[in-house]
Amino acid sequence: MSDLTVRKYQANEMEKLARFLERYRKAFRDAKLAPPELYTYHPALKSGENVFCALDRQERIVGFAPVFPAPATEESKPEEPHHIWTIVLADPRAPDAEQVRALLLERVIERAQAIKASFTPRRVKLAADMAASQRPDIDHLLENGFERYEGMHVMSRKTQDPIPDVPIPQEIT
């Protein structure tokens, strides 16, 4: 029998969510995580209706999966799909992280189906936006039918470091 519970996120759990996100960020420093307030109050998340948490026996959040509907607009080209964005995150230190991901993904897909029914007729993409370092979570999605369809490189630089002198090539004016 599992010691996990998966349910909709509740606003009074913001501190629990903050602790989970802090633990997660320590493992995956480049993960794009919004502050817990966004997941608590953003209108697209419908007061927790579109956010799922996995909790362990001690009621600690060990997994998290928000679902952000992004319907195409009237200005969108007809071939452009509606999007439903998600991330499915499991505490990398959790001994049952794979089970956490599986349970959360099941709830995400159920919710995406319900959201899809409210969209105008056109294709719908369930998509995840994750950093390359989040390999265990990405691998779980790939093993469950997700496919890579876009990628981008994000670079950063410490502003306290001196800017190197880079000469302009002669052929550029």
Side-chain angles (χ1 to χ4, degrees), residues 5 11 15-16 21 48 66 71 79 82-84 86 90 93 119 121 129 132 145 153 173:
T5 305
E15 278 303 312
K16 286 184 189 182
L21 295 173
E79 66 274 7
H82 296 296
H83 280 86
I84 299 173
T86 190
R93 298 177 309 178
F119 285 164
D129 183 12
H153 297 280
T173 58

Side-chain angles (χ1 to χ4, degrees), residues 16-59:
K16 286 184 189 182
L17 180 57
R19 287 192 295 275
F20 169 78
L21 295 173
E22 185 179 312
R23 288 192 314 274
Y24 193 88
R25 191 171 277 118
K26 283 181 183 174
F28 303 106
R29 295 207 179 276
D30 62 343
K32 296 184 278 183
L33 303 174
E37 292 82 6
L38 178 107
Y39 303 113
T40 306
Y41 302 115
H42 195 288
L45 298 174
K46 301 209 177 253
S47 300
E49 193 73 20
N50 292 344
V51 184
F52 303 97
C53 294
L55 294 99
D56 65 11
R57 185 184 298 172
Q58 289 80 35
E59 291 289 308

Side-chain angles (χ1 to χ4, degrees), residues 30 32 131 151-159:
D30 62 343
K32 296 184 278 183
M152 74 176 180
H153 297 280
V154 178
M155 296 181 275
S156 65
R157 186 171 195 291
K158 294 180 182 170
T159 56

Side-chain angles (χ1 to χ4, degrees), residues 9 13 16 23 49 64 115 119 124 139 145 170:
Y9 172 67
E13 297 176 306
K16 286 184 189 182
R23 288 192 314 274
E49 193 73 20
F64 175 70
I115 292 168
F119 285 164
V124 177
D139 287 344
Q170 289 181 339

Side-chain angles (χ1 to χ4, degrees), residues 96-168:
D96 45 7
E98 276 305 305
Q99 184 184 14
V100 168
R101 290 183 193 98
L103 291 169
L104 286 171
L105 182 56
E106 185 178 309
R107 296 294 290 274
V108 163
I109 291 170
E110 287 171 7
R111 187 66 188 139
Q113 291 292 349
I115 292 168
K116 177 184 175 181
S118 71
F119 285 164
T120 59
R122 69 169 62 212
R123 289 181 317 117
V124 177
K125 272 193 181 197
L126 177 58
D129 183 12
M130 304 184 72
S133 68
Q134 295 172 265
R135 205 68 244 168
D137 297 320
I138 292 170
D139 287 344
H140 182 80
L141 295 175
L142 292 171
E143 291 163 8
N144 285 280
F146 281 69
E147 298 173 357
R148 179 181 162 88
Y149 86 99
E150 276 185 17
M152 74 176 180
H153 297 280
V154 178
M155 296 181 275
S156 65
R157 186 171 195 291
K158 294 180 182 170
T159 56
Q160 69 266 24
D161 292 347
I163 298 172
D165 183 27
V166 180
I168 299 173

